[in-house]
Amino acid sequence: MPVLKRVADRGVTLAWCPQQSNADTRTYLAAASKQGAGGGFDSYEGALEVYALDAASSDKALALKGKASTDKKFECLAWSRFTAQNTYSAGIIAGGMTDGSISVWDPGAIVASGVGGSASVSCFSKLALDRAAAILPPLAFDNKFPK
Protein backbone atom coordinates (compact mmCIF):
# COMPACT_ATOMS: atom_id res chain seq x y z
CA MET A 1 0.00 0.00 0.00
CA PRO A 2 1.53 3.35 -0.97
CA VAL A 3 2.18 6.04 1.62
CA LEU A 4 0.13 9.18 1.06
CA LYS A 5 1.56 11.35 3.85
CA ARG A 6 3.98 10.86 6.72
CA VAL A 7 4.78 12.38 10.12
CA ALA A 8 8.38 12.12 11.35
CA ASP A 9 9.06 8.74 12.97
CA ARG A 10 8.39 9.20 16.67
CA GLY A 11 5.91 8.04 19.25
CA VAL A 12 2.66 9.98 19.09
CA THR A 13 -1.02 9.46 19.69
CA LEU A 14 -3.31 10.75 16.90
CA ALA A 15 -6.78 12.23 16.43
CA TRP A 16 -8.56 13.26 13.22
CA CYS A 17 -10.37 16.58 12.94
CA PRO A 18 -14.10 16.00 12.52
CA GLN A 19 -15.90 17.79 9.71
CA GLN A 20 -17.47 20.90 11.22
CA SER A 21 -20.09 21.49 8.49
CA ASN A 22 -20.96 20.38 4.97
CA ALA A 23 -19.04 23.39 3.61
CA ASP A 24 -15.95 22.59 5.70
CA THR A 25 -13.14 21.18 3.56
CA ARG A 26 -10.33 21.31 6.12
CA THR A 27 -8.60 18.08 6.96
CA TYR A 28 -6.45 18.26 10.07
CA LEU A 29 -4.68 15.70 12.19
CA ALA A 30 -3.60 16.22 15.79
CA ALA A 31 -0.44 14.48 17.02
CA ALA A 32 0.62 14.48 20.66
CA SER A 33 3.87 13.19 22.16
CA LYS A 34 3.35 9.91 23.97
CA GLN A 35 4.91 8.63 27.18
CA GLY A 36 7.85 6.28 26.62
CA ALA A 37 8.46 7.53 23.09
CA GLY A 38 11.83 9.17 23.47
CA GLY A 39 12.96 12.47 24.88
CA GLY A 40 15.09 11.05 27.68
CA PHE A 41 14.28 9.53 31.05
CA ASP A 42 13.92 12.91 32.76
CA SER A 43 11.83 14.53 30.02
CA TYR A 44 8.21 14.99 31.05
CA GLU A 45 7.30 17.78 28.63
CA GLY A 46 5.24 17.08 25.57
CA ALA A 47 3.74 18.80 22.57
CA LEU A 48 0.38 18.92 20.84
CA GLU A 49 0.76 19.55 17.10
CA VAL A 50 -1.87 20.17 14.43
CA TYR A 51 -1.07 19.14 10.85
CA ALA A 52 -2.92 19.89 7.62
CA LEU A 53 -3.51 17.00 5.26
CA ASP A 54 -3.30 18.27 1.68
CA ALA A 55 -3.88 15.27 -0.57
CA ALA A 56 -3.31 17.41 -3.68
CA SER A 57 0.29 18.15 -2.67
CA SER A 58 3.00 15.76 -3.87
CA ASP A 59 5.00 16.36 -0.67
CA LYS A 60 4.90 13.23 1.52
CA ALA A 61 5.28 15.23 4.75
CA LEU A 62 2.24 16.64 6.52
CA ALA A 63 2.30 20.43 6.88
CA LEU A 64 2.63 21.51 10.53
CA LYS A 65 0.11 24.31 11.15
CA GLY A 66 0.44 24.89 14.88
CA LYS A 67 2.07 23.59 18.03
CA ALA A 68 1.51 23.94 21.77
CA SER A 69 3.93 22.89 24.49
CA THR A 70 2.67 20.88 27.45
CA ASP A 71 4.11 20.10 30.87
CA LYS A 72 3.09 16.43 30.59
CA LYS A 73 3.01 13.86 27.81
CA PHE A 74 -0.17 12.33 26.43
CA GLU A 75 -1.61 8.84 26.82
CA CYS A 76 -4.55 9.33 24.44
CA LEU A 77 -6.25 11.96 22.30
CA ALA A 78 -9.75 12.67 20.94
CA TRP A 79 -11.09 15.48 18.71
CA SER A 80 -14.77 16.42 18.50
CA ARG A 81 -17.02 19.00 16.94
CA PHE A 82 -18.09 21.58 19.49
CA THR A 83 -19.89 24.61 18.17
CA ALA A 84 -21.97 25.61 21.18
CA GLN A 85 -22.40 29.39 21.14
CA ASN A 86 -20.04 29.44 18.10
CA THR A 87 -17.04 29.45 20.42
CA TYR A 88 -14.80 26.66 19.08
CA SER A 89 -15.10 26.64 15.30
CA ALA A 90 -12.38 23.97 14.92
CA GLY A 91 -13.89 21.80 17.66
CA ILE A 92 -12.12 20.75 20.84
CA ILE A 93 -9.33 18.27 21.58
CA ALA A 94 -9.27 16.25 24.80
CA GLY A 95 -5.97 14.76 25.89
CA GLY A 96 -5.49 12.09 28.53
CA MET A 97 -2.25 13.11 30.23
CA THR A 98 0.37 10.93 31.91
CA ASP A 99 -0.57 12.27 35.36
CA GLY A 100 -4.12 10.94 34.95
CA SER A 101 -5.70 14.31 34.17
CA ILE A 102 -7.71 15.24 31.08
CA SER A 103 -6.81 18.52 29.34
CA VAL A 104 -9.10 20.23 26.83
CA TRP A 105 -7.61 22.31 24.01
CA ASP A 106 -8.83 24.71 21.33
CA PRO A 107 -7.21 23.50 18.06
CA GLY A 108 -8.21 26.76 16.35
CA ALA A 109 -6.01 28.68 18.81
CA ILE A 110 -3.15 26.23 18.23
CA VAL A 111 -3.34 26.73 14.46
CA ALA A 112 -3.61 30.51 14.91
CA SER A 113 -0.44 30.50 17.06
CA GLY A 114 1.58 28.97 14.21
CA VAL A 115 4.46 26.53 14.28
CA GLY A 116 6.57 28.38 16.85
CA GLY A 117 5.00 26.47 19.73
CA SER A 118 3.60 29.56 21.42
CA ALA A 119 3.80 29.39 25.19
CA SER A 120 0.60 31.47 25.33
CA VAL A 121 -1.51 28.61 23.92
CA SER A 122 -2.55 26.30 26.73
CA CYS A 123 -5.41 24.03 27.60
CA PHE A 124 -8.57 25.92 28.55
CA SER A 125 -9.86 23.26 30.91
CA LYS A 126 -8.27 20.52 32.99
CA LEU A 127 -9.97 17.73 34.87
CA ALA A 128 -7.81 16.24 37.61
CA LEU A 129 -8.66 12.63 38.37
CA ASP A 130 -7.85 10.41 41.32
CA ARG A 131 -4.12 9.62 41.28
CA ALA A 132 -4.97 5.90 41.52
CA ALA A 133 -6.66 6.20 38.12
CA ALA A 134 -3.54 7.65 36.49
CA ILE A 135 -3.66 5.17 33.61
CA LEU A 136 -6.46 6.39 31.38
CA PRO A 137 -8.39 4.27 28.91
CA PRO A 138 -8.68 5.72 25.40
CA LEU A 139 -10.83 8.86 25.21
CA ALA A 140 -13.86 9.26 22.96
CA PHE A 141 -16.62 11.82 22.63
CA ASP A 142 -20.29 10.85 22.69
CA ASN A 143 -21.74 11.42 19.22
CA LYS A 144 -25.10 12.28 20.79
CA PHE A 145 -23.52 15.19 22.69
CA PRO A 146 -25.21 18.46 21.64
CA LYS A 147 -23.26 20.10 18.86
Side-chain angles (χ1 to χ4, degrees):
M1 188 153 139
V3 174
L4 297 177
K5 299 290 177 184
R6 177 184 313 254
V7 177
D9 187 17
R10 59 185 178 191
V12 295
T13 182
L14 300 170
W16 285 101
C17 172
Q19 184 178 11
Q20 299 300 321
S21 69
N22 290 338
D24 188 5
T25 59
R26 297 175 299 181
T27 304
Y28 288 127
L29 179 73
S33 50
K34 193 157 173 59
Q35 180 68 23
F41 291 111
D42 58 350
S43 174
Y44 298 103
E45 296 85 17
L48 176 57
E49 300 167 334
V50 177
Y51 292 87
L53 176 63
D54 181 3
S57 168
S58 62
D59 189 3
K60 294 286 187 205
L62 290 171
L64 180 62
K65 292 298 183 180
K67 179 178 179 180
S69 298
T70 63
D71 61 348
K72 302 280 184 244
K73 291 190 179 182
F74 292 78
E75 289 293 336
C76 49
L77 203 60
W79 194 334
S80 180
R81 293 187 296 158
F82 187 79
T83 56
Q85 294 112 23
N86 296 318
T87 49
Y88 302 106
S89 62
I92 57 175
I93 295 174
M97 310 307 285
T98 55
D99 65 353
S101 66
I102 298 173
S103 297
V104 183
W105 300 79
D106 176 2
I110 294 171
V111 170
S113 75
V115 296
S118 173
S120 65
V121 176
S122 61
C123 67
F124 66 83
S125 183
K126 189 169 191 171
L127 174 64
L129 302 176
D130 181 0
R131 190 72 174 135
I135 298 176
L136 291 169
L139 294 173
F141 285 96
D142 184 351
N143 289 334
K144 295 178 184 162
F145 184 74
K147 310 297 191 255

